[in-house]
Amino acid sequence: MEKDMEPSEAPNSKTPTPEPKEHSETSLSSQDDFRPQLTRTVSAPPYTIFNHRTKMFIVASVSISSLISPFGATTFYPALNSLAADLHVTPTLINLSLTTYMIAQGIAPAFIAGMSDNSGRRFSFILCFVIFTVANIGLALQTNYAALLVLRMVQAFGCSAAIALCTAVVADIATSAERGKYMGYATAGLLIGPAFGPTIGGVLDQFLGWRSIFYFLAIFGGVLLVIFTLLFPETCRNVVGNGSIPAKGVNLSILGYLQQRRHAREMEANGELESASIQLSVKRRKMAFPNPLRTLKILGEKESCIVLLYNGCFFTGMIGFATPIIPVLYEDIYGLNTLNIGLCYIAMGMGSLTSALTTGHIVDWNFRRHAQRLGMVITKGKQQDLRNFPIERVRLEVVVPGHVIGLLALLVFGWTLKFETSLAGPEIALFFIGFGVSTAFNISNTLILDFHRDQPATATAAVNFVRCLMSAAGSAFILPMVHAMNPGWAFTLIALIYVALLPVLFLIMAKGQKWRTELAEKKEKARQLKEAATATVDVEAAETIATPDNCSTNEKQK
């Protein structure tokens, strides 16, 4: 009976597909009609019970929360010289805190992600916000360089909530057909943060001093902690399924409770059968100790590894190369103070925001176009079967234009600085760097989630692990490279690397579906072997237990 109630994902079922009607799949007009209806795609439980307004609140919440990662990294960029003077160290040593921050931020989500996939998103968010807030209070009060380094790493651990969980929440509530739009909104904060973080930091440093930057971050983290503790509903599908499983303990929020009551009233009005069928889809899991090896396991998969490396390389162009050199070169070439330098990051943020608000809709349109070409029916609120669907081509066809735009913008950015054009030149280039890099980053992130729908937070942690380590390396050598080669030739070399990366996209589009099928078959064989081995052990154990009884019986007969 449980097997019959599981939603079928077959997109090309031979069973005629009725017009979608609300609750039509749970009609009890006759007992004979009931079982076939449950096996059709349109009659399966909805992917999520959250309505559009609730989903937009959830996405807006995680988008705002994702600001803590870039804010934590970039708000004190304009205050580097002030910090160096107050702590009596060189600017080079202060820059080292940027690298250690990125490294810690890359590693920490590997621990948080597995915990959130098993125990829920809310607990992980709350834990990380507490760590982030406490770390920033410590940074505001610290008086020596060693404390700065240690607390920056603790701060990075707290930021991991936004990185590991932001896109995982989208995977919890959005199907593949609509995921592009929601991914764009959810990652907007992560991508525009590097633009507005230095602006806020420049204002605070100039008028209130560098300690006010960390007090601001502590207040921001505290506000997020209150909002998520009281309102943010649990979305993890391993805990609440599609939202219909009642949340308990730390997983329960005010909004989640209200959503449960609304859903219960709807089920009562339309019969309780659908609610019962949905609740069978989730098995409760005990809280498990975080296992970072699950993240590394994703890096061992061929297609995922290639996409992750591409994602990390392209993201490094914005965060590892363009962002760190702006304070140095803009001060040398244009004579700007810290406040004006902070304002110059806004152009990149506007480019990222434009990408977030537009390209997601294009990705979803491309999904519908390919589905129509293949005769695959898309039912709103139902997850489609992607096993025979070219999801790589659907996503990456939109990445290619973004890749080219970002590549050309990096080239223009370097040469406008080399020839010291008017400030408008590099600023226009920064806008298109933000647009191109954000497009490639968002969509390749979405593709990784399509590969790992059952563990989205772990997949996002793998994305973060690669991109943070690459960005840390990029930020460490970009300034020496610019001084040695001049900005024009330095960014020409970077652009040539991205030219070499372009064929990788076409390789994934051509071979990705085959690789995905091979990996699925390999996992299925491993699962069958594991089940066979478990069955053999159970049989042997049963025989061992039965043997003494048989012996006793034989002795009594003798």
Side-chain angles (χ1 to χ4, degrees), residues 9 20 25 31 36 43 68 96 106 112-113 127 146 191 224 241 258 268 274 278 281 299 362 367 404 419 466 494 534:
E9 292 187 344
E25 59 269 26
Q31 185 67 26
S43 62
I68 68 172
L96 183 61
I112 296 294
L127 175 63
L191 294 168
L224 289 174
L258 295 176
E268 184 177 356
E274 181 179 358
I278 296 172
S281 63
L299 289 170
I362 298 173
F367 188 103
V404 174
F419 290 112
V466 174
I494 294 168
T534 302

Side-chain angles (χ1 to χ4, degrees), residues 140 197 291 326 339 381:
N291 183 7
I326 290 175
L339 177 58

Side-chain angles (χ1 to χ4, degrees), residues 57 61 121-130 221-234 249-257:
F57 171 79
S61 298
R121 315 293 182 211
R122 275 177 50 82
F123 177 73
S124 298
F125 269 121
I126 291 170
L127 175 63
C128 289
F129 290 151
V130 169
V223 171
L224 289 174
L225 177 62
V226 172
I227 292 173
F228 273 70
T229 301
L230 295 178
L231 299 177
F232 190 78
E234 182 58 63
V250 72
N251 300 124
L252 181 62
S253 69
I254 295 174
L255 183 59
Y257 173 75

Side-chain angles (χ1 to χ4, degrees), residues 197-213:
T199 304
I200 296 172
V203 173
L204 292 173
D205 178 55
Q206 184 152 333
F207 295 104
L208 298 175
W210 63 265
R211 294 185 189 277
S212 64
I213 295 173

